[in-house]
Amino acid sequence: MKAPEQVIGDVMEQVIKRNPNEPEFHQAVLEVLESLTPVIERHPEFVETNILHRIVEPERQLIFRVPWVDDNGRVQVNRGFRVQFNSAIGPYKGGLRFHPSVNLGIIKFLGFEQTFKNSLTGLPIGGGKGGSDFDPKGKSDNEIMSFCQSFMTELYRYVGADVDVPAGDIGVGAREVGYLYGQYKRITTLYHGVFTGKGISYGGSLARKEATGYGLLYFLEEMLKDYGQSLKGKTAVISGSGNVAIYAAEKAQQLGALVVAMSDSNGYIYDPDGIKLDTIKQIKEVERKRIKVYREHHPSAQYHEGSKGIWTVKCDLALPCATQNEIDEESARILVANGVMAVGEGANMPSTPEAIKVFQDNKVLFTPAKASNAGGVATSALEMTQNSMRLAWTFEEVDAKLKDIMVRIYRQTSQVAKEYGFEGDLVKGANIAGFLKVADAMMAQGIV
Ligand code: NDP
Ligand code: 2IT
């Protein structure tokens, strides 16, 4: 029998060889594999049945052409993706990202993370992710609709309420989900829950819009409680100003924290008296403008060009809610020097491995994305449940279930970390707990 380290080394070598030029995918896989040494020691059957080699290989990867016509009558071509990563515990589930940086490696990293995140929710959902290198910025509603209809005209073949259920992610919100769902329904004549994050008038769940951000704060609250702390009076910095960031800020404020900075990909605003969230919602959700416009409404706030600078703002809580690898080692060191107490990941993989090491070496409480941002997909699964039952729960009912789920994920993650000798290390706890359920289901289902 090979030593666990060697098994992991072999799998990693294979991943790099099979998936060249996909650094984000390598990064996500390595972090999970590195956590699994003690699991492999306890479970030789995982090695005998090659579970690790199987779990890092997506079940299916779809790449397709998305042609559409812009407002000037020009034909545009984008590339569409859907990676159906793992269906051991349920139908593929995960969002769609529309951003010019999207490529197969990014979708694969997100699908891989999603598999373990979805497992942690305790709900029956497998892992998948998709998207396109289409850039929604500056496009008219008509262009967005054209693109979404073309995207769905291909994707519809591969999805379904019990097959694969997409949702939003960067660049895909209520407007895009509406156009995508409309086209799906038109082609298939099926009115069922093939998307989550739908509008409330056509099968969406109350509290789904708020769920990722609220869930992050419920998770943080539970963790801080464990250390005799609370959110009250804490200063928070939240990167991004999209769906996750806005509702993380809203719940942080409700729980008594002072949110002093938010950003977009151009720069960040600093408002020492506390960010006025109504203004942010108006600028971002209604007008779709840049965050620097905030200063026109609140002249005493500062605007700084460059999104990375947000991590130089002194805070107790740093909540990265924009994108992958947005906190590097240098930013982590600045946060630590400024006395940060906890870092809660709302975005997927927002901290580089070097940054995570800086936080953990300096005893900063650190919540990994696949645990602390699981509230979004968990509430998506609640939307699927409501659609199947043909009924709708109230906001309070969904929110209470979301809170229960986040508290349970925190407890399970910290408990599993302790059980495997990594007390306080939620990265290890989340990776191990997420992996165990998927691996167990794969073992039970044979070599498939
Ligand atoms: P949105 O598109 O609503 O918002 C994204 C925000 O992040 C915007 O403010 C955007 O700025 C900023 N951003 C995006 N890319 C970059 C970049 N390369 N550099 C700096 N800033 C950037 O997306 P969401 O809020 O839905 O998603 C944010 C993160 O949360 C992502 O990592 C996503 O995968 C993750 N997530 C989302 C969930 C959901 O339910 N929506 C669930 C769990 C995780 P700009 O407008 O300038 O591009
Ligand atoms: O990364 C994520 O968990 C999401 N973008 C949400 C996925 C979903 O299916 O709700």
Side-chain angles (χ1 to χ4, degrees):
M1 196 73 162
K2 282 188 205 164
E5 290 76 10
Q6 194 179 349
V7 174
I8 288 166
D10 290 351
V11 177
M12 201 57 225
E13 199 182 307
Q14 173 89 326
V15 167
I16 292 169
K17 204 166 134 206
R18 256 202 191 135
N19 308 277
N21 308 316
E22 296 182 359
E24 294 86 1
F25 181 50
H26 303 166
Q27 181 184 336
V29 171
L30 184 62
E31 187 204 281
V32 171
L33 291 180
E34 279 179 344
S35 300
L36 297 179
T37 311
V39 179
I40 295 172
E41 273 163 5
R42 285 192 204 180
H43 294 278
E45 71 277 16
F46 290 162
V47 180
E48 282 150 24
T49 55
N50 252 345
I51 286 281
L52 294 187
H53 279 283
R54 285 193 277 150
I55 217 165
V56 297
E57 184 66 17
E59 290 176 17
R60 201 167 296 106
Q61 305 180 53
L62 307 157
I63 303 182
F64 49 94
R65 180 171 70 197
V66 190
W68 57 283
V69 181
D70 70 19
D71 287 348
N72 297 316
R74 276 195 294 264
V75 178
Q76 304 282 345
V77 182
N78 285 99
R79 183 171 276 193
F81 301 91
R82 187 72 183 167
V83 172
Q84 298 181 329
F85 218 108
N86 193 299
S87 62
I89 64 171
Y92 308 106
K93 180 82 196 89
L96 297 174
R97 176 178 291 190
F98 292 169
H99 193 272
S101 64
V102 163
N103 57 43
L104 184 60
I106 290 197
I107 298 300
K108 254 150 75 181
F109 118 64
L110 290 163
F112 182 76
E113 289 286 287
Q114 197 82 48
T115 299
F116 303 104
K117 179 197 306 193
N118 293 3
S119 162
L120 287 171
T121 66
L123 301 167
I125 38 178
K129 201 86 187 189
S132 175
D133 56 6
F134 173 74
D135 186 358
K137 274 201 200 86
K139 302 287 191 298
S140 68
D141 278 356
N142 188 52
E143 289 175 322
I144 299 281
M145 183 169 71
S146 261
F147 174 81
C148 288
Q149 290 182 340
S150 179
F151 184 88
M152 206 63 215
T153 299
E154 181 62 27
L155 186 69
Y156 90 94
R157 302 169 208 287
Y158 313 110
V159 298
D162 294 310
V163 180
D164 183 353
V165 183
D169 193 82
I170 292 177
V172 178
R175 173 181 61 170
E176 291 73 20
V177 169
Y179 294 147
L180 291 160
Y181 182 68
Q183 183 73 352
Y184 175 82
K185 190 165 60 63
R186 186 180 185 197
I187 297 173
T188 62
T189 73
L190 292 169
Y191 204 106
H192 64 189
V194 75
F195 263 90
T196 60
K198 299 187 290 299
I200 304 304
S201 58
Y202 62 94
S205 174
L206 289 164
R208 172 62 189 90
K209 182 176 71 177
E210 293 82 357
T212 312
Y214 277 23
L216 169 64
L217 270 295
Y218 292 147
F219 189 98
L220 265 179
E221 192 186 27
E222 191 63 18
M223 178 179 70
L224 291 182
K225 219 195 288 170
D226 235 6
Y227 291 84
Q229 296 271 356
S230 81
L231 286 154
K232 240 191 175 58
K234 300 283 188 302
T235 302
V237 162
I238 302 182
S239 66
S241 46
N243 174 260
V244 179
I246 288 176
Y247 293 95
E250 185 166 283
K251 187 51 75 177
Q253 290 178 348
Q254 285 172 10
L255 294 172
L258 183 73
V259 180
V260 294
M262 291 183 80
S263 61
D264 62 20
S265 57
N266 293 106
Y268 71 96
I269 46 159
Y270 173 58
D271 190 339
D273 304 328
I275 299 275
K276 316 305 177 280
L277 215 47
D278 286 348
T279 309
I280 297 283
K281 285 185 185 175
Q282 178 65 26
I283 295 170
K284 289 295 175 180
E285 295 185 336
V286 181
E287 297 168 7
R288 298 181 188 275
K289 288 189 177 155
R290 309 313 298 158
I291 205 162
K292 70 169 165 220
V293 172
Y294 185 89
R295 274 209 70 221
E296 293 170 14
H297 300 265
H298 306 287
S300 64
Q302 299 170 17
Y303 174 74
H304 299 270
E305 279 293 326
S307 51
K308 198 181 157 185
I310 193 168
W311 307 120
T312 63
V313 176
K314 185 174 165 52
C315 60
D316 303 308
L317 309 171
L319 309 182
C321 295
T323 194
Q324 64 274 358
N325 292 327
E326 55 172 312
I327 304 188
D328 59 11
E329 181 175 358
E330 185 194 6
S331 296
R333 287 195 189 287
I334 296 170
L335 282 164
V336 168
N338 282 336
V340 73
M341 171 197 164
V343 176
E345 293 193 326
N348 284 307
M349 206 168 77
S351 314
T352 64
E354 296 77 20
I356 296 175
K357 187 164 183 330
V358 170
F359 294 137
Q360 292 185 329
D361 287 351
N362 286 282
K363 304 274 177 278
V364 174
L365 301 176
F366 180 79
T367 75
K370 60 171 80 65
S372 51
N373 77 18
V377 75
T379 306
S380 279
L382 300 178
E383 181 172 330
M384 290 163 72
T385 307
Q386 293 168 80
N387 291 164
S388 304
M389 295 164 81
R390 301 277 191 264
L391 52 74
W393 294 326
T394 63
F395 188 97
E396 289 70 26
E397 283 174 292
V398 180
D399 189 38
K401 288 185 205 305
L402 166 65
K403 189 167 181 184
D404 272 0
I405 291 169
M406 297 315 294
V407 167
R408 206 176 29 68
I409 296 176
Y410 171 70
R411 295 217 183 112
Q412 185 196 8
T413 307
S414 62
Q415 172 60 34
V416 168
K418 194 167 164 187
E419 206 177 299
Y420 280 83
F422 302 113
E423 189 164 358
D425 183 342
L426 299 185
V427 175
K428 296 271 195 304
N431 287 335
I432 295 173
F435 170 83
L436 281 173
K437 182 176 171 189
V438 179
D440 185 66
M442 288 173 74
M443 288 295 293
Q445 292 170 21
I447 311 299
V448 289

